[in-house]
Amino acid sequence: MTVSCRDGRRSLLGARLAVLAIALTAASCAGDDSTGEPSPTGTPATTSTTVATTSTVPNTTAATTSAAATTTEPTPSTEPVVTSPGSYDFSEVSPIVEAFVGERGLDGAGLVVVDRDDGIVHEDYWGEFGPDRVSLVASSSKMIVAGVLLRLDDLGVLDLDQPIADLTGWQPDDPSTATPSVTAAQLLSNSSGFVGLEPTALYEPYTCQFDVDDDLERCGEAIFATAADDRDVVAPDTEFRYGGGQWQVAGAVAEAVSGRSWSELVAATYVEPCGVDSLGFTNQWAQFGPFTFEYPSAFSGDPITLVPTANPNMEGGAYITAPDYAELLLMHLREGRCGETQALSTESVERMHTDRVIERYGPTGNPGLAGYGLGWWVRSPADGYVTDPGAYGAVPWLELADGYGVYLVVEENLMVGIALADQIREPIDRALDAAR
C-alpha cells in the first residue's frame, strides 16, 4: 500500500541530484542553487486564480510539430480571481514565488496545482507570465513522449516489450551488437544501452537528433543502426544512461509502426482528447545556439517563430502553456482519463509511474530518485512521488498517494527551477491538507 510522506524527504534535493545528469555537459548548470544568479530587478506583478471545481476540457484543434497560433500577453491583476468558494488557500505560496522572482531577476514564473477530484485548484503567475504563455520545457518532454508510445501499445500497434528490430525491420550495421534486442520500454526508461547525455550531449554518432533539416524516422533508424557507437554501447537493461539519442529512436519507432507523423501522434494522444491546444514539438537546439542548457532567451513565446521541422527533438523539444501541462498531470492522476475520454489506459499510466530499473539491474545512481519508470523519475522506496524536471526550469511532479500534482515553470535553468520548487513544496502541501 502506498502511503503519504510529508516530512523532510519532501525536499526536492533528490530531484536536484538526479537531473544533474542533464547538466553534466553544461557548466552553467553544474553548480549549486546560486550558480549564475542574476541581480535583483524588483517586485513583479502577479496574477492568480484559485478554484475548487472539476476542470472542464476545452474544444480541441490539431497540433503541429513546430507552429501554433500566436499567443497574447496576459493582463496582470493584483487581486486573485476566485471562481468558486475558497476551500483552497494558497496565499502562503505567492509571496515566496514573488520574492524569488525578484531576487533572481527572472522574467516571471507560472504555477498550477491540480487535484484528482477537483481538477485545477490553483493558478498563479508572476512577471511576464500568464496562462497563455508558451514555454519550452526541455526534459519535461519525456513523460509526454512516453505517453505517445504507451497509447500505441494500448491500441495494439506497438508492443513495448518486443524488439524494435522486429517491429520496424531495422537492422544494425553490425549485427553482432546487442542493439537488435532493444525494446521500446528500454528506450523510455533510459535502459537501452545507447549512449546517454554523458560524457557529452553532442555525441557525434547521434547528432542528427539536433538537425532541423533531418527527418525523425530517418534519424532514429540511423542512430539505431550505426556502428560508430559500438565501442560505447552496452547491453540493454544493464546500466542507467539518462537521455540522448535513444529518445529519438523511440519517436522514430512510433512513426514507423503507426505510419503517422509525430505531430499527428501528439494530436491523437493529447491534443484532441485533453484539449491541450498549445502542445507541440520543435528542435530548438540549432535555432537558438550555441548548444546550452540555459533557456533560449531569443524564443519569444510564439511558436510561429520556431523553425518548422520533420525532426522534432524527442527528449527535450516540447513546448506548452502552464495550464495545458497541468491538464496532462491531471490525466495522470485520473488513471489516463481526460474528461470522459480514456486517453491512456489505466494500466499504461500505472506502468509509466512504476520503477522498472531497480529490479532489473539496479538504481539510477541517484539516492534521492533511485527509480525510473517510463518518462518519470520515481522515488525509492516507492511512495507515490514521481517527477520529470527539465533543464530550462520546468518542474512537474505528482503525489499519486495524495491525489495531486504541481507544475512550476520558470525560463532560466534546471537549478533555478529546482531551488524555487524546494521553497514552495511544503506550503503547497499545507494548503492541500487544510482543504481536506
Side-chain angles (χ1 to χ4, degrees):
M1 178 178 179
T2 304
V3 296
S4 172
C5 174
R6 296 191 173 174
D7 53 26
R9 293 186 297 120
R10 287 278 193 181
S11 170
L12 288 178
L13 176 60
R16 178 186 297 114
L17 293 172
V19 193
L20 276 176
I22 299 174
L24 285 172
T25 58
S28 60
C29 295
D32 60 21
D33 291 346
S34 62
T35 300
E37 179 176 344
S39 302
T41 59
T43 302
T46 67
T47 64
S48 63
T49 304
T50 302
V51 300
T53 57
T54 302
S55 63
T56 57
V57 178
N59 293 330
T60 62
T61 59
T64 61
T65 298
S66 60
T70 53
T71 59
T72 57
E73 289 296 319
T75 303
S77 170
T78 57
E79 295 296 327
V81 179
V82 180
T83 58
S84 62
S87 57
Y88 291 90
D89 180 7
F90 291 91
S91 58
E92 184 183 357
V93 177
S94 185
I96 296 172
V97 182
E98 186 170 349
F100 186 95
V101 168
E103 291 165 1
R104 298 287 182 122
L106 305 179
D107 289 340
L111 176 68
V112 187
V113 182
V114 294
D115 177 85
R116 179 182 290 125
D117 297 323
D118 292 336
I120 294 179
V121 297
H122 184 66
E123 286 186 65
D124 215 344
Y125 301 97
W126 297 263
E128 299 175 8
F129 282 52
D132 297 324
R133 187 180 182 93
V134 174
S135 300
L136 299 164
V137 299
S139 279
S140 298
S141 308
K142 286 184 172 64
M143 74 89 170
I144 300 174
V145 172
V148 171
L149 276 78
L150 266 294
R151 175 178 173 272
L152 294 177
D153 186 83
D154 287 341
L155 295 173
V157 176
L158 168 69
D159 182 344
L160 291 178
D161 299 308
Q162 183 176 354
I164 59 178
D166 296 343
L167 292 168
T168 62
W170 301 344
Q171 293 299 322
D173 295 341
D174 179 1
S176 68
T177 68
T179 300
S181 66
V182 170
T183 68
Q186 291 163 342
L187 296 171
L188 299 176
S189 60
N190 301 297
S191 305
S192 66
F194 288 108
V195 177
L197 290 176
E198 297 177 87
T200 173
L202 294 175
Y203 181 65
E204 198 281 331
Y206 301 168
T207 52
C208 69
Q209 67 178 309
F210 306 117
D211 186 353
V212 295
D213 295 322
D214 211 322
D215 174 83
L216 175 58
E217 190 173 340
R218 193 217 68 81
C219 174
E221 182 179 0
I223 293 172
F224 176 85
T226 184
D229 64 355
D230 282 1
R231 290 186 176 183
D232 301 315
V233 299
V234 297
D237 276 341
T238 62
E239 186 177 317
F240 185 78
R241 294 179 162 191
Y242 183 76
Q246 61 194 328
W247 287 86
Q248 211 69 5
V249 177
V253 169
E255 286 196 343
V257 300
S258 69
R260 306 181 73 181
S261 70
W262 184 253
S263 61
E264 291 172 334
L265 292 170
V266 169
T269 306
Y270 299 114
V271 178
E272 292 161 8
C274 302
V276 289
D277 297 347
S278 68
L279 174 61
F281 276 75
T282 186
N283 204 326
Q284 74 276 14
W285 307 105
Q287 180 177 355
F288 299 116
F291 191 93
T292 176
F293 290 108
E294 296 284 329
Y295 195 88
S297 59
F299 177 56
S300 65
D302 184 354
I304 202 72
T305 65
L306 296 169
V307 175
T309 181
N311 186 35
N313 185 264
M314 294 291 97
E315 69 168 329
Y319 56 82
I320 194 169
T321 64
D324 279 356
Y325 201 106
E327 289 289 348
L328 300 182
L329 297 182
L330 191 58
M331 181 266 288
H332 277 265
L333 290 171
R334 291 177 171 172
E335 300 180 323
R337 287 181 293 104
C338 284
E340 298 302 317
T341 301
Q342 194 75 40
L344 295 176
S345 71
T346 300
E347 295 76 17
S348 286
V349 171
E350 182 178 359
R351 184 173 185 181
M352 292 176 71
H353 301 159
T354 302
D355 167 66
R356 77 169 298 278
V357 306
I358 295 176
E359 66 180 33
R360 286 172 171 82
Y361 59 86
T364 63
N366 167 22
L369 294 169
Y372 200 92
L374 301 179
W376 290 97
W377 293 92
V378 180
R379 190 156 57 195
S380 180
D383 62 357
Y385 173 81
V386 297
T387 186
D388 184 29
Y392 293 156
V395 186
W397 72 89
L398 295 173
E399 288 284 4
L400 298 167
D402 297 322
Y404 76 88
V406 180
Y407 180 65
L408 169 68
V409 58
V410 297
E411 295 174 357
E412 191 73 9
N413 60 47
L414 169 71
M415 302 312 297
V416 171
I418 292 294
L420 179 53
D422 277 340
Q423 293 188 25
I424 63 173
R425 186 179 178 91
E426 289 187 3
I428 289 173
D429 286 344
R430 286 193 288 270
L432 289 159
D433 279 342
R436 293 171 173 172

